[in-house]
Amino acid sequence: MGVAVGLLALIGRLGVASAVVRTVRTGRVLISEVIMALAFLVKEHPFSHLIDTLKDGNKFFNPQKLNDPRYDQLPLSIRVLLEAAIRNCDGFYTKEEDVQNILDWQQQQNRAEVPFAPARVLLQDFTGIPAMVDLAAMRDAVAKHGVDPSLVNPKCPTDLIVDHSLQIDYSKCAIQNAPNPGGGDGPNQSQGPSRSTPSRRGSQCGGQRGSCSKAACSDSPASSGRPAASVQQIENTPLLCPFHLQPVSETETALKNQEMELIRNKERLQFFKWCSKAFKNVNMVPPDIGAVHQMNLEYLSRVVQVTDGFIYPDSVVGTDSHTTMINGLGILGWGVGGIESEAVMLGQPVSLTLPQVVGCKLVGSINPLTTSIDIVLGITKHLRQAGIAGKFVEFFGPGVSQLSAPDRTTIANMCPEYNATVSFFPVDQVTLKHFKKTNFTQEKLELLESYMKAVKLFRIYEDPSEDPQYSEVIEINLTSIVPYVSGPKRPQDRVAVSSMKEDFQSCLDEKVGFKGFHISKEKQDTRVPFLHCGQEYQLSHGSVVIAAVISCTNNCNPSVMLTAGLLAKKAVEAGLVVKPYIRTSLAPGSGMVTHYLNTSGVLPYFSQLGFQVIGYGCATCVGNTAPLPEAVVDAIKQGELVACGVLSGNRHFEGRLCDCVRANYLASPPLVVAYALAGTVGIDFEKEPLGVTSEGKEVYLCDIWPTREEVQQTEEDTVISSIFKDLRGRMEKGNTLWNNIECPDSVVFPWDHKSTYIRSPSFFSKLSIEVPPPQSIESAHVLLFLGNKVTTDHISPAGSIARVSAAAKYLLSKRLTPREFNSYGARRGNDAVMTRGTFASIKLQNRFIGKPGPKTLHIPSGQTLDVFEAADRYQRDSIPLIILAGKDYGSGNSRDWVAKGPYLLGVRAVIAESFEKLHKNQLVGMGIIPLQFLPGENADSLELSGKERFTITLPDSLSPRQQLTVQTSQGKYFSVTALFDTEKEVIFFRHGGLLRYVARTLL
């Protein structure tokens, strides 16, 4: 041992691999291990002969120097994986055989498991706070074992963008919904700053959107029955109708929402501030700068990275499925679960099976009336039908050159909707032109181009001789794509705009399902009158009550936002108005969007139609829409109407925007404006007018739709480098409110046990250094008996916290009022809230119950209980739990609590017909075993009632795709497949999940 200690200093000076250093520091080291470490250090990098040098002196690993003809045949996305494997080949995490497997991709696809170390990790606050809470808890856990807690840091550069907590408290000129402070502080205890809004005199409403009297205005907090105390956060705010006086400026509206965000989320923001100081390698983007997707595109993307004189491709994994947007810029990246991202943050590479790569060849010309959103929906349909789940998609062909860089990111964004891992657009001249606009220096552009060409990651799409070999090729003719919307419940259900009226009618006729609402013929013509702001209006099936123009994810493209703005301008000039009861909003993904809308002169026209900037962050998409006017809600309920929301976002499942809005459609921003003007989705734009002017003139959509030439000219005139200078200026200046937040100055976080926002989770309780053997699941009960297409929206807590939910009971026990509940997303750092919110969706279809709702059957007692209450009883009785499900379990966007929640509920296994791959990985990462019925079998064919008790025997030596036997208490046996794709997944499961595995490597 003395020799080992003597060698330790040498090892430290040389820079030994972190795993060996950790072993040495604990004193549990063998001479042979030290010698092996030294041998590795003195050994030359196995691919040092590939090191090349650019003219500027930067070095890089050049795969072309392999002189292997297979390299030129590789898809460019696979070349990125190969370069990362070559550069990171250390003999530990990445081995020479991994490099050879990637090089031999044609033979090894869907077979070989390879590591991938991305250049950076991307987090947003809703998914980022659990990761940071887990790291803070890990510091506590290792400290208890005598290990320095400051060693727990992200090894991989990590960007965290605080953007998902914004709610629309204010818009127009007054309060839309009462301020909702959180954290248990009373209204007068907030330390957040307040702004004074001077009262204005007047008695008559005016403006483009109608008029009202004070008494009749349903948007006024005073008239809605809300307590006066609830509106005292902003001093002297007039409790007046939003249309009664002149509206405040956009800036003041956004400031008010920002102030409320600080008040409501004070504890979370303090924790984030502590993280930015306590953890190394963490870059925190404060609130009100921009949405995560656009910040990734506009500010964080590099295309190439330079570290210690070495240049290499930029790449990223993020805790959001829409991380894939970055592939539009030739940057390889995809969404992973929160626990996978934590592993990458701590230095573990992503493990993936070499994917098939589908070549998507684009040919033909784009129709002048078709927007990038139409192209997205068209490509989504084609690729979903092609069955490309889990595959890479790489675009090529002459049609790609017609797509701008924003067009490409728009298309790449939606790849989770057709279940691809990435949709990759290699770098070309269009990409370089884009980055020239975004203030890349000429020197950086030359470096980028020279490097990408040197390693053959640069494409000339018109040259077919450069086309690599793909697993298969799908050809899409851009000429065939026409304008579409998507809905009313799922993003894959496309509807041609020309067929929208007929399609909505069929939705009313069809039985309740993915498309149908089953409204009887005699009730389909129901019209319900109501008063709003002193005027009478009518609602019917198909009436639009929410219209949200959002420019994050699939609508960050300037062309579609400018098209919407120009459409609004032409509508106002034609004398059209939007009915004032429609909840309109404009949520730019970043200040860049507001900048170019303002510079182009269309922002005032947006405002005149009611689409005012409400702030920067996720709002309508994540269920943070302000409550609809009470008169509207009453009319919908009275007539049992299928009211509609139209939004240019990316999520629109039934009930997500608002409980009483059953039909929601994804549409391009100009079509959101068009449907808001029409007031209904039941319109044929070609045959029916959008509206009638005060002079009685009918105005059709074709009369005000801007031409492609108008849009392109406006984009060229406004989307310029000054936009990106403005963004960088705001990043450097920071946020005043954020800058003034005080936070603890400590290595470990001082948990406040009274906090209802931030709580140390129990993932590391009773953590032992030794790995326990696999434990069989004995006599488990079924917690939930589910059908097909159970999405992450059904499983993971999201949106507002219902007053009758298990989470609400917990918060009430902490002496919070319903007004202080906030949302599940905001309380994502509190496992007690999130566990109670798991499977709390009002749309959950549990076969034990027979109707939608967050309930289940507690089998021993026969009682119907909240899912959490039933699980809590089972855990108190030490009864393990499983879930039975159908096809596509866990589909939807990535959420870490979709696996953490079931784990804390006591779920040990999920048996389903099929799983969404990302969610399957998350289950494994939390120590829950995903089991798949054999082909042709399911719960019904096996005649399972779900009320049996299940025993699943786990052998000591698990292996990928191993078949296991399940025995029921009724004496029935059937086989299932353990969905471990790699040996590493088996290791994670044996450790009880990825978090425990990472903690043990530190111990």
Side-chain angles (χ1 to χ4, degrees), residues 906-933:
V907 174
R908 297 279 309 280
V910 178
I911 307 177
E913 289 184 67
S914 62
F915 292 82
E916 199 279 330
K917 182 177 176 61
L918 180 57
H919 179 54
K920 186 272 298 181
N921 294 341
Q922 292 171 329
L923 292 175
V924 174
M926 283 308 303
I928 298 174
I929 183 170
L931 301 172
Q932 185 171 358
F933 289 109

Side-chain angles (χ1 to χ4, degrees), residues 12-283:
R13 287 196 298 271
L14 292 175
V16 71
S18 59
V20 177
V21 169
R22 286 193 294 266
T23 306
V24 173
R25 281 175 176 164
T26 61
R28 295 186 299 275
V29 63
L30 299 176
I31 299 297
S32 59
E33 290 178 315
V34 179
I35 293 173
M36 288 171 61
L38 287 172
F40 173 77
L41 290 171
V42 299
K43 180 182 178 182
E44 192 176 29
H45 190 290
F47 294 100
S48 59
H49 61 287
L50 302 184
I51 295 177
D52 212 338
T53 306
L54 295 173
K55 291 181 180 179
D56 65 353
N58 280 306
K59 296 182 179 180
F60 65 101
F61 285 92
N62 190 351
Q64 287 203 84
K65 294 181 72 174
L66 290 167
N67 295 319
D68 194 315
R70 291 177 295 178
Y71 181 72
D72 290 343
Q73 297 176 355
L74 290 178
L76 275 70
S77 52
I78 300 299
R79 296 180 198 181
V80 176
L81 296 180
L82 178 65
E83 189 282 336
I86 290 173
R87 176 168 39 88
N88 292 293
C89 187
D90 58 3
F92 289 98
Y93 294 127
T94 305
K95 301 178 182 180
E96 291 183 57
E97 63 186 75
D98 295 319
V99 174
Q100 293 302 321
N101 282 335
I102 299 174
L103 194 57
D104 195 28
W105 168 78
Q106 286 285 359
Q107 304 302 321
Q108 296 295 336
Q109 53 185 300
N110 280 349
R111 295 175 58 188
E113 174 194 349
V114 297
F116 174 57
R120 54 191 173 92
V121 175
L122 182 72
L123 308 173
Q124 45 94 334
D125 55 330
F126 274 14
T127 53
I129 195 167
M132 303 313 293
V133 165
D134 290 345
L135 290 181
M138 192 180 294
R139 281 195 168 188
D140 294 341
V142 300
K144 290 178 181 178
H145 286 271
V147 176
D148 183 0
S150 65
L151 294 176
V152 179
N153 286 296
K155 297 292 190 295
C156 184
T158 300
D159 298 298
L160 194 154
I161 292 85
V162 183
D163 74 321
H164 265 52
S165 55
L166 179 70
Q167 291 187 24
I168 308 173
D169 293 296
Y170 299 97
S171 74
K172 309 182 184 86
C173 72
I175 301 172
Q176 285 201 134
N177 65 312
N180 183 22
D185 291 336
N188 298 320
Q189 293 176 305
S190 170
Q191 297 179 3
S194 62
R195 290 182 61 87
S196 175
T197 303
S199 175
R200 301 184 180 89
R201 297 177 181 273
S203 58
Q204 296 295 322
C205 288
Q208 292 284 343
R209 300 196 69 207
S211 61
C212 70
S213 65
K214 291 182 181 180
C217 178
S218 62
D219 269 359
S220 169
S223 67
S224 63
R226 300 183 179 110
S230 67
V231 294
Q232 297 305 310
Q233 295 291 341
I234 309 298
E235 295 179 2
N236 301 322
T237 300
L239 305 183
L240 300 173
C241 171
F243 313 106
H244 190 77
L245 300 174
Q246 293 181 359
V248 297
S249 67
E250 308 291 346
T251 303
E252 190 167 355
T253 302
L255 267 177
K256 287 183 176 182
N257 283 312
Q258 183 189 127
E259 290 166 1
M260 286 311 306
E261 180 178 4
L262 176 65
I263 294 168
R264 179 186 296 113
N265 298 289
K266 179 180 176 183
E267 292 182 35
R268 298 172 60 251
L269 296 178
Q270 284 178 328
F271 176 72
F272 282 138
K273 195 74 173 283
W274 174 82
C275 291
S276 67
K277 293 182 177 181
F279 291 111
K280 299 176 183 177
N281 248 353
V282 172
N283 172 43

Side-chain angles (χ1 to χ4, degrees), residues 432-478:
L432 296 182
K433 181 180 178 182
H434 168 78
F435 278 105
K436 188 174 183 178
K437 288 182 179 180
T438 63
N439 285 339
F440 268 42
T441 64
Q442 187 62 33
E443 180 184 6
K444 178 66 182 289
L445 286 171
E446 291 175 359
L447 172 66
L448 189 161
E449 184 174 1
S450 62
Y451 170 73
M452 300 302 274
K453 288 182 175 178
V455 294
K456 289 196 172 180
L457 288 175
F458 191 89
R459 274 302 318 254
I460 299 176
Y461 288 105
E462 292 80 5
D463 184 358
S465 68
E466 290 189 0
D467 293 348
Q469 291 186 4
Y470 295 106
S471 305
E472 60 178 300
V473 172
I474 298 172
E475 183 172 298
I476 297 177
N477 192 327
L478 297 175

